[in-house]
Amino acid sequence: MTHFIDTILEPALWFAADWSLRWAALLTVVALILWIFRPRRATIRELVLKAALLAGLLIPLSPRWGNGWGPPFSEPSPPSSFPFSTWERATGRSASHPIQEPVATQSVANVRFHSERGNETTRLSDRRRLPETGEPLGPRRLIVFGLVLCWSLAVVWQLVRRLGAWLFLRRLRHESVEGMGAMADLFAACRREIGVRRAVHVATHPHVRSPILLGLWRPHILVPADWSQGSLESQRAGLLHELAHVHRGDHLLAPLLEIVQFAFFFHPIVRWLLARLECERELLCDEMVVRLGIDRRAYARLLLEYARSSGRLAWLAVSLPMSRRRTVKGRICHLLEEDMERWIRPLPRRWALALVAGLLALSLGLASYRVLAEEKEKPAQAANKPAQQPAAKKPAEPTIKREDLRYADKDFYQWRKELLTELKPSIRADGMRAFAAFGVNGYGPEATQAILEMMRSYDPAIENSAEEEAPVVKAAFGAIHKIGAAGVPTLVSAVKEENRNVRRFAIEVLGRLGGEARPALPELILAFKSEDLKTRQLAIQATGWIGQSNKELVAALIEALKAQDANIRYGAVVALGSLDESAQAAIPALLKILPEENPQMQSCAIQALRVIGAGAKAVPAVSHLLRDENQNVRHLARWYLKQLKPNEGKEAVPALIEVLKSDSGTGLWEAEEILGGMGPAAKDAIPALTQLLQSDDGRTRERAINALKAIRLENKR
C-alpha cells in the first residue's frame, strides 16, 4: 500500500495540483482581461473562453520555459519519466517528503563507483528506494489517500447522476410524438432558413415545458404538447434557437465540457469558465435568432415566460443537471440592450481563426511558464571565491531634451527656416516627413503650424494628381496623420484661416483624423456657413467622417439639405448616414430628398433613413421607389422594407403587389420574401402570390409558397 501511494497516487496528486494551479493562473488572467476590456461581441468573448479551455487541456503537453519564480533548489532535479512539476526534488517523491540517504541496514544499498579522475567520487543509485515491509502509512500518506479517495467518490457520484439523466432523457425521446402537419412545415422552413442540413427531428412530450435539444448523433428537439397553440412568432423563435445550437455544433461539444466538469468539479475557476461558455453559447444562438428577423423585445418576453415556469422539464426531472436555468437573466438583458443589433454580426472566419490561434499561443505561453526555477550548477572555481559583492548601481541614463533631436543632422528650427526659402518640391516633401518625425517626439503643435504655413501655396485637391507639387501635399497629409491628436488644436484654429488653401487643408485633414478630431466639431459646424462653396462641402464631409452626433450638428445638416447646390445636399445626406438614431429630427428633410432624380442621392438617403431609424415613417416614400428606373435604387428600397418589423411595412403592400405582377428575377423574389415576413399585414397580397404558383420558375413558386404559409399560419392564429 505504501509503495502504491508513494509511486502512483502522490505523483499523480502533485501532477493534478500543478495542472490546476497553472490553469487557475491562466483563467484569472482571462477573467481580468474580460472584466477590463469588456468586449461587446459575444463571438469574441466565446473565442477567448474556448482558447482558455483548449490551452488548459493542453497544459500537461506544453513545454516549460523561463527561469521561473520562487526560491531555487539547492541541487538540480534528476530527469524523470513521469511528467512531474519542477518543484519535485526527485523522481517518485514530492518536495514535502524528499528521498533520505539509505543506511547500511536497508535492503537496497547505494553502490559507489570510483573513477580515476582526481579524487572525485560519484554516487549513483541503481534503483528507487522501496519502503520496508510493514512501514506505517503515516499522516502524509493518509492525507494523500484521502484526497484521491474523495475525488474518486465525487467523480463516481457525478457519473451516476449523468447516467440517470441520460436514461431519463432517452426514455423521454422514445415516448415523444413526432411533429406533424403545420408544426413539421414550420420546422422544415426554420431548418432551411438557418442552414441546418443534417437530420434533425421535432417531437412533442407532455413532460417538456420549453424547447429542449437532445441527442448527439441523432438530435431531437422536444417541445411541449400544447406547442401548436402558441403564436407563430414564438414557435419560430424557439425552434430557431434550438436549431442554432445544432448549426453551431454545441451538442457535439457538450460531452467534452461534461468530462472537464467531472475531473475539475473542485476547481471554482474552471466551473466559472464552463458557466461562461454556456452563457455565451446561449447569447450567440439568441443573436442568430434576432438576425433572422425575430423581434428581440418579443423574444425577451418569450424567455421571461419560459423562466416563470418551474423548469424545462416536469417535476420528476427537476433534479437533473440539464434542467437548471442559469442564463435567462443575462440573455434577457443582452436582448434589451439599446445597441445590441450593432454587435450581432458574425466575425469573419479568417479573423476568427487568426484570433483563436493568437489567443491559444498566448494562453499556452502563460500557462507553460516555469513555476519554480532550478538552481544552475556553479562552476568549480566559484567555490574558492569570496562572497560576491552586490553589483554597483549603474548611473541613470541622461534624459534627452527635445532640443537635441535631429533629422538628417538638422534640428526642428533649422528645417523650418530652410523650408521658408526652399521651393524645390522634393526637398519640401522631405521637410514634411521631418516635421512628422519631430511632431511625434514633442513638437506636435509647432510641427502642425509649420506644415500649415507650407500649405499656403498648395491646393489640397492636387494630392493624387500628376502635378510636380503633388508629393508635397501628399507628404503633408501623411505628416498630420502621423502627428495625430497633438495637432488637433492647431488645426481647429486654422479652420477660420483666411487663406483658402490652409483652411481647406485643415478641414479635410480633421475629417481624416476621425474620432480624434471630435473637439473640432463646433468650428466645423460654423464652417457650414462659409461663403466658399468648397469649404462648406469639405466641412460637411469632415463631420460625416468624424461620426459624432449632437443637436447642433443635426440642425446644421438639416439646413444643408435645403441648399441649392446638389453637392452640398449630397454631402449632408452622406453625413447623416454616419450618425445614429439621435438624428431622427432629419427624417422629414430626408424624405423630401427621395423624389430627386439623382440615383446616387436617393440611394444615400435610403441608407441614411435606415441608419437613423425612420421605420414606418419612410415606408410611403420608399414604396414609390420600388418602380424607379434605377436598379440600385429599387434594390435599396426593397432592402429597406425587408429590414422593417412586420407591422411597419403594411403601407408598402400595394406597391409590392405591383412588383409581383410586373417584375421578375431578383426583384420578384425579394418582394415575395418581404410579404412573407410581414405576416398577417400582407393578407391583401394572397391573390397575387397565389397567381405566382403557376409560374414556370421553380424559385418563384417556392418563395410564393413560403410567403403564403407564413401569412396563412399567422392568420389561423
Side-chain angles (χ1 to χ4, degrees), residues 331-350:
R331 293 167 62 188
I332 293 176
C333 293
H334 182 63
L335 289 169
L336 297 181
E337 291 180 359
E338 294 183 359
D339 55 350
M340 179 255 190
E341 295 181 356
R342 288 189 178 185
W343 309 100
I344 64 175
R345 292 191 300 272
L347 202 64
R349 180 170 297 180
R350 62 180 184 274

PDB file of all heavy atoms in Angstrom, residues 331-350:
ATOM      1  N   ARG A 331     -29.449  36.637 -20.742  1.00  0.00           N
ATOM      2  CA  ARG A 331     -29.943  36.657 -22.122  1.00  0.00           C
ATOM      3  C   ARG A 331     -30.957  37.768 -22.324  1.00  0.00           C
ATOM      4  O   ARG A 331     -30.939  38.472 -23.343  1.00  0.00           O
ATOM      5  CB  ARG A 331     -30.554  35.306 -22.464  1.00  0.00           C
ATOM      6  CG  ARG A 331     -29.552  34.164 -22.515  1.00  0.00           C
ATOM      7  CD  ARG A 331     -30.232  32.813 -22.546  1.00  0.00           C
ATOM      8  NE  ARG A 331     -31.058  32.664 -23.742  1.00  0.00           N
ATOM      9  CZ  ARG A 331     -31.881  31.637 -23.941  1.00  0.00           C
ATOM     10  NH1 ARG A 331     -31.973  30.682 -23.026  1.00  0.00           N
ATOM     11  NH2 ARG A 331     -32.583  31.564 -25.047  1.00  0.00           N
ATOM     12  N   ILE A 332     -31.860  37.944 -21.366  1.00  0.00           N
ATOM     13  CA  ILE A 332     -32.868  38.999 -21.488  1.00  0.00           C
ATOM     14  C   ILE A 332     -32.207  40.376 -21.456  1.00  0.00           C
ATOM     15  O   ILE A 332     -32.536  41.260 -22.253  1.00  0.00           O
ATOM     16  CB  ILE A 332     -33.919  38.861 -20.368  1.00  0.00           C
ATOM     17  CG1 ILE A 332     -34.729  37.568 -20.568  1.00  0.00           C
ATOM     18  CG2 ILE A 332     -34.840  40.065 -20.334  1.00  0.00           C
ATOM     19  CD1 ILE A 332     -35.730  37.294 -19.470  1.00  0.00           C
ATOM     20  N   CYS A 333     -31.243  40.564 -20.566  1.00  0.00           N
ATOM     21  CA  CYS A 333     -30.532  41.855 -20.518  1.00  0.00           C
ATOM     22  C   CYS A 333     -29.792  42.119 -21.827  1.00  0.00           C
ATOM     23  O   CYS A 333     -29.762  43.250 -22.322  1.00  0.00           O
ATOM     24  CB  CYS A 333     -29.551  41.860 -19.343  1.00  0.00           C
ATOM     25  SG  CYS A 333     -30.338  41.819 -17.721  1.00  0.00           S
ATOM     26  N   HIS A 334     -29.200  41.076 -22.393  1.00  0.00           N
ATOM     27  CA  HIS A 334     -28.489  41.238 -23.672  1.00  0.00           C
ATOM     28  C   HIS A 334     -29.447  41.623 -24.791  1.00  0.00           C
ATOM     29  O   HIS A 334     -29.136  42.482 -25.628  1.00  0.00           O
ATOM     30  CB  HIS A 334     -27.769  39.936 -24.004  1.00  0.00           C
ATOM     31  CG  HIS A 334     -26.966  39.996 -25.266  1.00  0.00           C
ATOM     32  ND1 HIS A 334     -25.893  40.837 -25.427  1.00  0.00           N
ATOM     33  CD2 HIS A 334     -27.084  39.325 -26.446  1.00  0.00           C
ATOM     34  CE1 HIS A 334     -25.387  40.683 -26.636  1.00  0.00           C
ATOM     35  NE2 HIS A 334     -26.097  39.778 -27.275  1.00  0.00           N
ATOM     36  N   LEU A 335     -30.624  41.004 -24.819  1.00  0.00           N
ATOM     37  CA  LEU A 335     -31.598  41.308 -25.873  1.00  0.00           C
ATOM     38  C   LEU A 335     -32.152  42.720 -25.753  1.00  0.00           C
ATOM     39  O   LEU A 335     -32.528  43.334 -26.756  1.00  0.00           O
ATOM     40  CB  LEU A 335     -32.743  40.294 -25.818  1.00  0.00           C
ATOM     41  CG  LEU A 335     -32.412  38.871 -26.273  1.00  0.00           C
ATOM     42  CD1 LEU A 335     -33.554  37.926 -25.914  1.00  0.00           C
ATOM     43  CD2 LEU A 335     -32.139  38.832 -27.768  1.00  0.00           C
ATOM     44  N   LEU A 336     -32.207  43.254 -24.539  1.00  0.00           N
ATOM     45  CA  LEU A 336     -32.798  44.570 -24.322  1.00  0.00           C
ATOM     46  C   LEU A 336     -31.786  45.700 -24.379  1.00  0.00           C
ATOM     47  O   LEU A 336     -32.148  46.852 -24.133  1.00  0.00           O
ATOM     48  CB  LEU A 336     -33.517  44.598 -22.966  1.00  0.00           C
ATOM     49  CG  LEU A 336     -34.707  43.639 -22.836  1.00  0.00           C
ATOM     50  CD1 LEU A 336     -35.353  43.773 -21.466  1.00  0.00           C
ATOM     51  CD2 LEU A 336     -35.741  43.891 -23.926  1.00  0.00           C
ATOM     52  N   GLU A 337     -30.525  45.408 -24.697  1.00  0.00           N
ATOM     53  CA  GLU A 337     -29.551  46.478 -24.864  1.00  0.00           C
ATOM     54  C   GLU A 337     -29.929  47.338 -26.070  1.00  0.00           C
ATOM     55  O   GLU A 337     -30.344  46.826 -27.112  1.00  0.00           O
ATOM     56  CB  GLU A 337     -28.153  45.894 -25.061  1.00  0.00           C
ATOM     57  CG  GLU A 337     -27.588  45.235 -23.826  1.00  0.00           C
ATOM     58  CD  GLU A 337     -26.197  44.679 -24.081  1.00  0.00           C
ATOM     59  OE1 GLU A 337     -25.715  44.813 -25.223  1.00  0.00           O
ATOM     60  OE2 GLU A 337     -25.596  44.123 -23.149  1.00  0.00           O
ATOM     61  N   GLU A 338     -29.742  48.651 -25.934  1.00  0.00           N
ATOM     62  CA  GLU A 338     -30.175  49.559 -26.990  1.00  0.00           C
ATOM     63  C   GLU A 338     -29.413  49.329 -28.288  1.00  0.00           C
ATOM     64  O   GLU A 338     -29.981  49.359 -29.374  1.00  0.00           O
ATOM     65  CB  GLU A 338     -30.012  51.010 -26.532  1.00  0.00           C
ATOM     66  CG  GLU A 338     -30.940  51.384 -25.371  1.00  0.00           C
ATOM     67  CD  GLU A 338     -30.792  52.847 -25.003  1.00  0.00           C
ATOM     68  OE1 GLU A 338     -29.965  53.535 -25.634  1.00  0.00           O
ATOM     69  OE2 GLU A 338     -31.505  53.295 -24.088  1.00  0.00           O
ATOM     70  N   ASP A 339     -28.102  49.125 -28.212  1.00  0.00           N
ATOM     71  CA  ASP A 339     -27.276  48.980 -29.411  1.00  0.00           C
ATOM     72  C   ASP A 339     -26.908  47.515 -29.650  1.00  0.00           C
ATOM     73  O   ASP A 339     -25.872  47.217 -30.221  1.00  0.00           O
ATOM     74  CB  ASP A 339     -26.012  49.825 -29.302  1.00  0.00           C
ATOM     75  CG  ASP A 339     -25.215  49.508 -28.037  1.00  0.00           C
ATOM     76  OD1 ASP A 339     -25.757  48.782 -27.176  1.00  0.00           O
ATOM     77  OD2 ASP A 339     -24.081  49.988 -27.932  1.00  0.00           O
ATOM     78  N   MET A 340     -27.789  46.603 -29.220  1.00  0.00           N
ATOM     79  CA  MET A 340     -27.494  45.180 -29.347  1.00  0.00           C
ATOM     80  C   MET A 340     -27.287  44.775 -30.799  1.00  0.00           C
ATOM     81  O   MET A 340     -26.415  43.974 -31.124  1.00  0.00           O
ATOM     82  CB  MET A 340     -28.634  44.388 -28.705  1.00  0.00           C
ATOM     83  CG  MET A 340     -28.472  42.876 -28.786  1.00  0.00           C
ATOM     84  SD  MET A 340     -29.541  42.133 -30.020  1.00  0.00           S
ATOM     85  CE  MET A 340     -29.326  40.402 -29.622  1.00  0.00           C
ATOM     86  N   GLU A 341     -28.087  45.342 -31.718  1.00  0.00           N
ATOM     87  CA  GLU A 341     -28.032  44.922 -33.121  1.00  0.00           C
ATOM     88  C   GLU A 341     -26.721  45.317 -33.790  1.00  0.00           C
ATOM     89  O   GLU A 341     -26.412  44.826 -34.872  1.00  0.00           O
ATOM     90  CB  GLU A 341     -29.212  45.520 -33.885  1.00  0.00           C
ATOM     91  CG  GLU A 341     -30.558  44.984 -33.397  1.00  0.00           C
ATOM     92  CD  GLU A 341     -31.717  45.564 -34.176  1.00  0.00           C
ATOM     93  OE1 GLU A 341     -31.458  46.430 -35.035  1.00  0.00           O
ATOM     94  OE2 GLU A 341     -32.862  45.168 -33.928  1.00  0.00           O
ATOM     95  N   ARG A 342     -25.927  46.212 -33.175  1.00  0.00           N
ATOM     96  CA  ARG A 342     -24.633  46.583 -33.754  1.00  0.00           C
ATOM     97  C   ARG A 342     -23.590  45.490 -33.587  1.00  0.00           C
ATOM     98  O   ARG A 342     -22.625  45.434 -34.346  1.00  0.00           O
ATOM     99  CB  ARG A 342     -24.091  47.854 -33.085  1.00  0.00           C
ATOM    100  CG  ARG A 342     -24.837  49.118 -33.459  1.00  0.00           C
ATOM    101  CD  ARG A 342     -24.067  50.306 -32.917  1.00  0.00           C
ATOM    102  NE  ARG A 342     -24.690  51.571 -33.274  1.00  0.00           N
ATOM    103  CZ  ARG A 342     -24.165  52.759 -33.012  1.00  0.00           C
ATOM    104  NH1 ARG A 342     -23.003  52.829 -32.401  1.00  0.00           N
ATOM    105  NH2 ARG A 342     -24.792  53.859 -33.362  1.00  0.00           N
ATOM    106  N   TRP A 343     -23.784  44.634 -32.579  1.00  0.00           N
ATOM    107  CA  TRP A 343     -22.710  43.707 -32.211  1.00  0.00           C
ATOM    108  C   TRP A 343     -23.069  42.259 -32.503  1.00  0.00           C
ATOM    109  O   TRP A 343     -22.420  41.356 -31.991  1.00  0.00           O
ATOM    110  CB  TRP A 343     -22.404  43.849 -30.713  1.00  0.00           C
ATOM    111  CG  TRP A 343     -22.169  45.250 -30.309  1.00  0.00           C
ATOM    112  CD1 TRP A 343     -23.042  46.088 -29.699  1.00  0.00           C
ATOM    113  CD2 TRP A 343     -20.982  46.015 -30.515  1.00  0.00           C
ATOM    114  NE1 TRP A 343     -22.478  47.309 -29.503  1.00  0.00           N
ATOM    115  CE2 TRP A 343     -21.207  47.306 -29.987  1.00  0.00           C
ATOM    116  CE3 TRP A 343     -19.736  45.732 -31.090  1.00  0.00           C
ATOM    117  CZ2 TRP A 343     -20.254  48.300 -30.016  1.00  0.00           C
ATOM    118  CZ3 TRP A 343     -18.786  46.724 -31.125  1.00  0.00           C
ATOM    119  CH2 TRP A 343     -19.049  47.985 -30.579  1.00  0.00           C
ATOM    120  N   ILE A 344     -24.113  42.022 -33.312  1.00  0.00           N
ATOM    121  CA  ILE A 344     -24.525  40.643 -33.551  1.00  0.00           C
ATOM    122  C   ILE A 344     -24.049  40.123 -34.886  1.00  0.00           C
ATOM    123  O   ILE A 344     -24.352  38.985 -35.240  1.00  0.00           O
ATOM    124  CB  ILE A 344     -26.061  40.506 -33.450  1.00  0.00           C
ATOM    125  CG1 ILE A 344     -26.761  41.329 -34.554  1.00  0.00           C
ATOM    126  CG2 ILE A 344     -26.555  40.895 -32.089  1.00  0.00           C
ATOM    127  CD1 ILE A 344     -28.259  41.139 -34.567  1.00  0.00           C
ATOM    128  N   ARG A 345     -23.310  40.953 -35.641  1.00  0.00           N
ATOM    129  CA  ARG A 345     -22.787  40.450 -36.910  1.00  0.00           C
ATOM    130  C   ARG A 345     -21.707  39.411 -36.624  1.00  0.00           C
ATOM    131  O   ARG A 345     -20.836  39.618 -35.776  1.00  0.00           O
ATOM    132  CB  ARG A 345     -22.199  41.585 -37.738  1.00  0.00           C
ATOM    133  CG  ARG A 345     -23.226  42.567 -38.242  1.00  0.00           C
ATOM    134  CD  ARG A 345     -22.604  43.501 -39.276  1.00  0.00           C
ATOM    135  NE  ARG A 345     -21.496  44.247 -38.721  1.00  0.00           N
ATOM    136  CZ  ARG A 345     -21.624  45.416 -38.099  1.00  0.00           C
ATOM    137  NH1 ARG A 345     -22.814  45.958 -37.960  1.00  0.00           N
ATOM    138  NH2 ARG A 345     -20.562  46.043 -37.624  1.00  0.00           N
ATOM    139  N   PRO A 346     -21.746  38.250 -37.329  1.00  0.00           N
ATOM    140  CA  PRO A 346     -20.735  37.216 -37.081  1.00  0.00           C
ATOM    141  C   PRO A 346     -19.348  37.677 -37.506  1.00  0.00           C
ATOM    142  O   PRO A 346     -19.195  38.461 -38.448  1.00  0.00           O
ATOM    143  CB  PRO A 346     -21.219  36.034 -37.942  1.00  0.00           C
ATOM    144  CG  PRO A 346     -22.067  36.656 -39.005  1.00  0.00           C
ATOM    145  CD  PRO A 346     -22.700  37.877 -38.376  1.00  0.00           C
ATOM    146  N   LEU A 347     -18.345  37.200 -36.790  1.00  0.00           N
ATOM    147  CA  LEU A 347     -16.961  37.545 -37.098  1.00  0.00           C
ATOM    148  C   LEU A 347     -16.514  36.759 -38.331  1.00  0.00           C
ATOM    149  O   LEU A 347     -16.811  35.576 -38.454  1.00  0.00           O
ATOM    150  CB  LEU A 347     -16.071  37.185 -35.905  1.00  0.00           C
ATOM    151  CG  LEU A 347     -14.721  37.901 -35.790  1.00  0.00           C
ATOM    152  CD1 LEU A 347     -14.930  39.387 -35.591  1.00  0.00           C
ATOM    153  CD2 LEU A 347     -13.929  37.326 -34.627  1.00  0.00           C
ATOM    154  N   PRO A 348     -15.849  37.408 -39.304  1.00  0.00           N
ATOM    155  CA  PRO A 348     -15.354  36.662 -40.474  1.00  0.00           C
ATOM    156  C   PRO A 348     -14.486  35.480 -40.058  1.00  0.00           C
ATOM    157  O   PRO A 348     -13.755  35.542 -39.072  1.00  0.00           O
ATOM    158  CB  PRO A 348     -14.536  37.723 -41.242  1.00  0.00           C
ATOM    159  CG  PRO A 348     -15.114  39.023 -40.826  1.00  0.00           C
ATOM    160  CD  PRO A 348     -15.543  38.845 -39.388  1.00  0.00           C
ATOM    161  N   ARG A 349     -14.567  34.392 -40.834  1.00  0.00           N
ATOM    162  CA  ARG A 349     -13.905  33.157 -40.446  1.00  0.00           C
ATOM    163  C   ARG A 349     -12.393  33.325 -40.334  1.00  0.00           C
ATOM    164  O   ARG A 349     -11.768  32.815 -39.410  1.00  0.00           O
ATOM    165  CB  ARG A 349     -14.233  32.057 -41.455  1.00  0.00           C
ATOM    166  CG  ARG A 349     -13.591  30.714 -41.142  1.00  0.00           C
ATOM    167  CD  ARG A 349     -14.142  29.620 -42.015  1.00  0.00           C
ATOM    168  NE  ARG A 349     -15.553  29.426 -41.774  1.00  0.00           N
ATOM    169  CZ  ARG A 349     -16.284  28.518 -42.413  1.00  0.00           C
ATOM    170  NH1 ARG A 349     -15.723  27.732 -43.322  1.00  0.00           N
ATOM    171  NH2 ARG A 349     -17.571  28.391 -42.154  1.00  0.00           N
ATOM    172  N   ARG A 350     -11.810  34.087 -41.286  1.00  0.00           N
ATOM    173  CA  ARG A 350     -10.348  34.230 -41.233  1.00  0.00           C
ATOM    174  C   ARG A 350      -9.911  35.010 -40.005  1.00  0.00           C
ATOM    175  O   ARG A 350      -8.889  34.700 -39.395  1.00  0.00           O
ATOM    176  CB  ARG A 350      -9.848  34.913 -42.510  1.00  0.00           C
ATOM    177  CG  ARG A 350     -10.366  36.322 -42.744  1.00  0.00           C
ATOM    178  CD  ARG A 350      -9.809  36.906 -44.032  1.00  0.00           C
ATOM    179  NE  ARG A 350     -10.209  38.290 -44.247  1.00  0.00           N
ATOM    180  CZ  ARG A 350     -11.327  38.647 -44.832  1.00  0.00           C
ATOM    181  NH1 ARG A 350     -12.167  37.704 -45.273  1.00  0.00           N
ATOM    182  NH2 ARG A 350     -11.628  39.926 -44.999  1.00  0.00           N
TER     183      ARG A 350
END
